[in-house]
Amino acid sequence: MPHKKTKTLKPTADAVEILRRRTYAGKPARMKNLEEARTNEEIARKIQELRTAAALTQTQLARLIGTTASVICRLEDADYEGHSLAMLRRIAGALNQRVEIRFVPIRRSA
Amino acid sequence: MPHKKTKTLKPTADAVEILRRRTYAGKPARMKNLEEARTNEEIARKIQELRTAAALTQTQLARLIGTTASVICRLEDADYEGHSLAMLRRIAGALNQRVEIRFVPIRRSA
DNA sequence: TTGCCATTTCGCAATATTGCGAATAGACTG
DNA sequence: CAGTCTATTCGCAATATTGCGAAATGGCAA
């Protein structure tokens, strides 16, 4: 997924273009990555937490959602970056939970 | 993604197996689908809402996250079922938001 | 009407995620 | 020690999602 395109900027009056540059220009991209890493870690922990709270082994949870233990293990890996809404829903459903998704505004620096 | 396996049940003492049957047996599966459909609809609407609130066209938002207008259009389609965490994050990031994911317990029947 | 912009739909290639078995390691027990 | 269960890692096939252009549609204004 290419995200690096810092070619030499040329002048523009396009407000959207300006916003795009401001957003992807400096550190924000890196911060965004860190933020995502944190989130992935939290998701992994949360899955493990819910599973153990339900007193299930990886194999048992896997059977509940129709997959295998290795898949569950992968999901509980803090470094895993491939979390999908579909999978989170399957996990949640098996554990009598639902996935709630919210867009929350970011406080723009200080 | 196969989810229908209502083969004739055979007796079991496995608690996990019992739970699995109870979860996927009757209507819950269908209710779960409805619940997901509602959620997808909400996500689609939310994306459109955020985009228009930011006074952006689909083309402009597409440029912000490095894709095309047709993709944005697809995301804003209430019937679209392919929402991914990755894409939601890209949208959110471009609009100064972050995606918050929570597992919330479901009140079991009545 | 024409022209322009935004949106929508379609098809297919490219990439990402899942499915799944096998093999390994760790912990615990008899 | 062997035996068992859990967790983890690896590789590759299968499926799902995205990328992207082309074409069609709708709205709006000159």
Side-chain angles (χ1 to χ4, degrees):
Chain A
M1 225 176 294
H3 257 308
K4 34 194 61 175
K5 241 192 180 180
T6 323
K7 60 183 175 184
T8 50
L9 304 177
K10 65 180 176 182
T12 178
D14 186 338
V16 173
E17 177 64 15
I18 291 175
L19 173 58
R20 190 184 67 78
R21 290 180 184 173
R22 203 182 304 169
T23 302
Y24 281 111
K27 304 174 183 177
R30 234 167 310 173
M31 285 184 56
K32 188 160 167 289
N33 288 341
L34 286 180
E35 147 70 16
E36 284 185 15
R38 239 194 323 271
T39 303
N40 287 331
E41 208 175 309
E42 286 176 21
I43 292 177
R45 275 206 317 257
K46 190 62 183 176
I47 291 176
Q48 186 174 31
E49 176 189 321
L50 288 176
R51 175 177 64 80
T52 54
L56 297 175
T57 67
Q58 291 178 338
T59 302
Q60 289 172 326
L61 176 55
R63 284 211 52 185
L64 282 176
I65 66 173
T67 185
T68 60
S70 60
V71 172
I72 302 298
C73 179
R74 192 161 50 192
L75 297 178
E76 293 182 357
D77 179 351
D79 292 334
Y80 183 61
E81 297 179 349
H83 292 292
S84 78
L85 203 40
M87 182 60 88
L88 295 184
R89 280 171 172 165
R90 287 165 65 189
I91 300 285
L95 269 28
N96 279 352
Q97 315 257 329
R98 67 186 178 85
V99 178
E100 183 179 296
I101 293 176
R102 286 195 307 179
F103 292 85
V104 13
I106 284 186
R107 32 171 171 276
R108 217 53 190 155
S109 66
Chain B
M1 224 173 294
H3 257 307
K4 32 193 63 176
K5 239 191 182 182
T6 322
K7 60 183 176 185
T8 51
L9 303 177
K10 64 179 179 183
T12 179
D14 186 336
V16 172
E17 178 64 13
I18 291 175
L19 173 59
R20 190 185 67 78
R21 290 181 184 173
R22 203 183 305 168
T23 302
Y24 281 111
K27 304 174 183 176
R30 235 166 310 172
M31 286 183 56
K32 188 161 167 287
N33 288 341
L34 287 181
E35 146 70 18
E36 284 184 15
R38 241 195 321 270
T39 303
N40 287 332
E41 207 175 310
E42 286 176 21
I43 293 176
R45 273 207 317 257
K46 190 62 183 176
I47 291 176
Q48 187 174 31
E49 176 189 322
L50 288 177
R51 176 178 63 82
T52 55
L56 296 176
T57 66
Q58 291 178 338
T59 302
Q60 289 171 326
L61 175 56
R63 283 211 52 184
L64 282 176
I65 67 173
T67 184
T68 60
S70 60
V71 172
I72 302 299
C73 178
R74 193 160 49 193
L75 297 179
E76 293 181 357
D77 179 352
D79 293 334
Y80 183 59
E81 297 180 351
H83 291 293
S84 78
L85 202 41
M87 182 60 88
L88 295 184
R89 280 170 172 166
R90 287 164 65 190
I91 300 285
L95 269 25
N96 279 353
Q97 315 258 327
R98 68 187 178 85
V99 178
E100 184 178 295
I101 293 175
R102 285 196 307 180
F103 292 85
V104 11
I106 283 186
R107 26 175 169 279
R108 217 51 189 156
S109 68

